[in-house]
């Protein structure tokens, strides 16, 4: 009878925890400190997982929470990563670059590969957590051992932030997002070398004397709601996380259109 009572008490405790919304997965781990653009060369510990197709770029639509499209193609080439909050930074970490590597299990090569922050994750499994595209996760393996490494699931890994490098002819590009109109402008900024991430975007309309700051919308997208039509050509000034600025006149032409990519001559 005593054994039966003990069993009933145990069941009641479990049910109470479930009803109370208790976390049933691995222990929750608070996020680490934000990773800065200092690139001090120190390796930090993290957890790695992967998502999407085994040899894919992560999301089924090859996009992600940064707003980038076709991350399966150059220059990202499927090497995307979802960073947790101190890496993704509510979108302000989009485009930053990291070297990652693993030593265990045996399938790990121990050689670093570079990934780009293209998406977000908020799974509280480690202070730093990279949920990698299948291609990026497999890239940490010894040649021919990629599939075996992916079967490991969650693994320990090391990471450090590095400067982003793109082919010499790659310039920063501005995509005017779908849904924009003369009074609403939303710009996706991509392919920034150096720090990789952008923390400020300002625009100057035709005939204006001063720049106006755009608000951070989400991911790598910055927006402006204007009481009057926004007239082109539009000059743009951008600021990287490290405080460097670049500007170019008349990047976006008169008669600009939504869902259109406008390349610049700029690069850090």
């Amino acid at each position: 009878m005593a054994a039966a009572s003990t069993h009933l008490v145990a069941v009641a405790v479990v049910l109470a925890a479930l009803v109370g919304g208790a976390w049933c997965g691995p222990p929750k781990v608070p996020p680490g400190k934000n990773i800065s653009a200092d690139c001090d060369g120190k390796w930090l510990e993290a957890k790695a997982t992967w998502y999407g197709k085994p040899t894919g770029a992560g999301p089924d639509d090859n996009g992600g929470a940064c707003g980038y499209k076709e991350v399966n193609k150059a220059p990202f080439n499927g090497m995307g990563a979802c960073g947790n909050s101190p890496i993704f930074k509510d979108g302000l970490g989009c485009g930053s670059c990291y070297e990652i590597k693993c030593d265990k299990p045996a399938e790990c090569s121990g050689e670093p590969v570079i990934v780009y922050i293209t998406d977000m994750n908020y799974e509280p499994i480690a202070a730093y957590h990279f949920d990698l595209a299948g291609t990026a996760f497999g890239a940490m393996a010894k040649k021919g051992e990629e599939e075996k490494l992916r079967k490991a699931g969650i693994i320990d890994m090391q990471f450090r932030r590095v400067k982003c490098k793109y082919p010499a002819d790659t310039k920063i590009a501005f995509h005017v997002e779908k849904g924009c109109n003369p009074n609403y402008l939303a710009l996706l900024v991509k392919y920034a070398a150096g720090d990789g991430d952008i923390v400020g975007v300002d625009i100057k309309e035709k005939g204006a004397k001063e720049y106006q700051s755009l608000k951070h919308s989400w991911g790598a997208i910055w927006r402006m709601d204007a009481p009057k039509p926004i007239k082109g050509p539009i000059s743009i000034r951008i600021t990287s996380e490290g405080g460097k600025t670049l500007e170019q006149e008349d990047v976006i032409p008169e008669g600009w259109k939504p869902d259109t990519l406008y390349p610049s001559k700029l690069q850090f």
Side-chain angles (χ1 to χ4, degrees):
M1 184 71 177
S5 299
T6 300
H7 176 72
L8 289 172
V9 170
V11 171
V13 170
V14 171
L15 288 174
L18 290 174
V19 171
W23 173 255
C24 299
K28 288 185 177 180
V29 180
K33 295 181 180 179
N34 279 6
I35 301 298
S36 73
D38 293 341
C39 299
D40 59 12
K42 295 180 181 178
W43 290 95
L44 300 175
E45 296 295 322
K47 294 289 186 183
T49 53
W50 66 276
Y51 72 118
K53 297 178 181 178
T55 56
D60 291 338
D61 64 354
N62 294 313
C66 286
Y68 305 137
K69 305 298 182 186
E70 298 184 331
V71 295
N72 57 316
K73 299 180 180 180
F76 298 130
N77 295 315
M79 295 295 287
C82 302
N84 68 333
S85 57
I87 297 167
F88 183 75
K89 304 174 188 174
D90 289 330
L92 293 178
C94 286
S96 53
C97 298
Y98 291 84
E99 279 190 332
I100 63 170
K101 63 179 181 177
C102 64
D103 299 316
K104 296 178 182 179
E107 292 79 17
C108 289
S109 71
E111 297 297 324
V113 296
I114 293 177
V115 296
Y116 306 86
I117 300 304
T118 58
D119 209 345
M120 69 174 181
N121 84 77
Y122 289 105
E123 293 296 328
I125 67 171
Y128 300 108
H129 173 207
F130 287 77
D131 195 16
L132 301 164
T135 296
F137 193 95
M140 293 190 291
K142 297 173 183 175
K143 189 174 182 179
E145 300 291 321
E146 296 88 353
E147 184 176 355
K148 288 184 179 179
L149 182 61
R150 282 189 285 266
K151 288 181 178 178
I154 302 176
I155 65 171
D156 293 320
M157 59 162 275
Q158 298 77 46
F159 75 99
R160 63 182 179 185
R161 187 161 175 183
V162 296
K163 297 297 184 183
C164 296
K165 297 179 180 179
Y166 290 106
D169 60 347
T170 302
K171 303 299 182 183
I172 295 169
F174 302 94
H175 186 267
V176 176
E177 296 292 281
K178 289 182 180 180
C180 288
N181 60 59
N183 296 86
Y184 172 68
L185 177 66
L187 295 178
L188 170 72
V189 187
K190 57 183 181 178
Y191 309 148
D195 295 337
D197 47 4
I198 300 299
V199 299
V201 179
D202 309 306
I203 66 168
K204 185 166 59 175
E205 299 176 58
K206 180 182 179 180
K209 295 182 179 180
E210 298 181 353
Y211 278 96
Q212 292 179 289
S213 297
L214 273 61
K215 294 180 179 179
H216 181 234
S217 184
W218 61 274
I221 297 174
W222 298 76
R223 75 173 196 274
M224 173 180 283
D225 297 280
K228 297 180 180 180
I230 302 169
K231 296 180 180 180
I234 300 171
S235 301
I236 299 179
R237 181 175 63 196
I238 56 175
T239 304
S240 71
E241 183 182 350
K244 293 182 179 180
T245 61
L246 292 174
E247 60 182 283
Q248 181 183 332
E249 293 185 357
D250 304 345
V251 181
I252 298 177
E254 185 177 3
W256 56 268
K257 297 178 180 179
D259 197 21
T260 303
L261 183 68
Y262 296 102
S264 76
K265 299 177 182 178
L266 303 174
Q267 190 54 278
F268 289 102

